[in-house]
Amino acid sequence: MQNDIKILFVGADEKLQKIYGPGSSIEVVSSISFASLLGDEYKPDLIFVNSIQDNLVKDVRLEQRFSFVPIIWVAENFSELNNFTPVSDFQRVLVCNKVIVENEKFVKSLRQLALKKRTLLSPKTSRFVKYAILFVNKNISKSLNRQIISSQLGVSQDYLTRIFHKEMGVSLWDYIEIMRLHYSQKLLMESSMPVSEVALHSGFNDCTYYNREFKKAFGVTPGEFRKGQPVLNDKIL
């Protein structure tokens, strides 16, 4: 049976390759310069660039045969970047944290994109989505909502909500929530602060809500996760 989707990974990531493997034909190169080894006729439906370095995204986009292939720029965290200016004018470039790329809704959305069943925003409009993501990365420990983010970008809440979902395939609120929950995991592992403080430092003002959402996402409570018993479910948010 022929695979539906061709995916090229620039930089290996075994977990993402496993997630996106079913129904796909996957190739992996360490640099876009090695893509020539795949043959002159090779053209993927999606390209993942797994690096914080924006020059790798530029190298892929400037490769003529890949000029219109959607690029998913993946990194654990973008908070160290000041802006996305080097790539903001490129068409069909999605900026996305790794924990979101692993999200089931996002996976389905990318498959729709690869099959050309949905489209992406223009670079001018997409720029607002990219900078919303950068703002979330830099302020994940703070209380965030649509009003705060849209004010920073100088657009209306409804407009940002609409374009964010169209571009990313997940809502802005879901994006923030997933990021917060994974950030709280890091705090639980690396600090001794009480769970109530972990919740606050992860942007959750209601500890009861935080406990409920954490368990819904990972199958254990924050306290159980910290203790290591029971073992954390290997579950994709």
Side-chain angles (χ1 to χ4, degrees):
M1 181 177 178
Q2 187 175 5
N3 289 316
D4 294 325
I5 301 171
K6 293 180 182 178
I7 300 178
L8 176 63
F9 279 86
V10 181
D13 188 303
E14 292 184 3
K15 186 173 183 180
L16 292 184
Q17 289 164 223
K18 182 178 179 181
I19 291 171
Y20 286 87
S24 304
S25 173
I26 290 180
E27 300 289 348
V28 182
V29 294
S30 58
S31 167
I32 197 61
S33 61
F34 291 110
S36 59
L37 300 176
L38 301 174
D40 294 337
E41 300 301 316
Y42 177 76
K43 184 178 179 181
D45 299 299
L46 295 174
I47 299 175
F48 285 83
V49 176
N50 189 28
S51 172
I52 193 64
Q53 299 179 39
D54 55 34
N55 62 301
L56 296 183
V57 180
K58 289 193 291 182
D59 290 344
V60 174
R61 183 47 82 229
L62 294 175
E63 183 76 20
Q64 185 174 2
R65 60 176 165 154
F66 299 148
S67 58
F68 292 101
V69 178
I71 297 173
I72 299 85
W73 181 14
V74 186
E76 295 282 356
N77 195 308
F78 292 99
S79 61
E80 294 182 4
L81 297 181
N82 291 321
N83 57 63
F84 290 130
T85 300
V87 301
S88 60
D89 290 332
F90 290 135
Q91 291 186 340
R92 300 179 181 88
V93 176
L94 291 180
V95 173
C96 198
N97 291 86
K98 185 179 177 183
V99 294
I100 307 297
V101 179
E102 297 168 358
N103 174 267
E104 186 177 355
K105 289 181 182 178
F106 190 79
V107 173
K108 290 180 180 178
S109 177
L110 280 190
R111 291 194 182 282
Q112 293 295 303
L113 180 63
L115 294 170
K116 298 178 174 60
K117 293 183 178 180
R118 79 176 187 92
T119 58
L120 296 177
L121 302 169
S122 69
K124 181 179 180 180
T125 307
S126 176
R127 190 178 293 117
F128 291 114
V129 176
K130 290 179 174 65
Y131 278 92
I133 290 172
L134 182 61
F135 186 79
V136 170
N137 273 256
K138 288 181 173 293
N139 297 277
I140 195 60
S141 63
K142 302 175 183 177
S143 180
L144 292 173
N145 56 41
R146 292 191 311 159
Q147 181 179 1
I148 292 171
I149 299 172
S150 60
S151 295
Q152 286 291 322
L153 300 178
V155 297
S156 73
Q157 297 179 47
D158 289 344
Y159 178 72
L160 178 59
T161 299
R162 186 171 66 253
I163 65 171
F164 194 98
H165 192 275
K166 179 174 175 56
E167 180 86 337
M168 302 304 295
V170 297
S171 70
L172 175 57
W173 179 253
D174 283 346
Y175 199 107
I176 295 170
E177 189 92 334
I178 294 167
M179 289 285 289
R180 281 173 172 167
L181 288 169
H182 281 270
Y183 180 70
S184 77
Q185 277 190 333
K186 185 173 184 289
L187 294 181
L188 289 167
M189 289 187 292
E190 298 179 0
S191 76
S192 59
M193 67 176 69
V195 170
S196 59
E197 289 188 25
V198 169
L200 287 173
H201 280 79
S202 304
F204 292 93
N205 295 323
D206 185 333
C207 189
T208 301
Y209 174 80
Y210 164 65
N211 283 327
R212 184 171 67 247
E213 292 302 302
F214 191 99
K215 185 167 185 177
K216 185 191 300 182
F218 303 115
V220 292
T221 66
E224 289 168 340
F225 171 74
R226 173 172 272 169
K227 292 176 182 177
Q229 294 296 330
V231 178
L232 177 67
N233 291 349
D234 185 17
K235 181 178 178 182
I236 301 171
L237 273 170

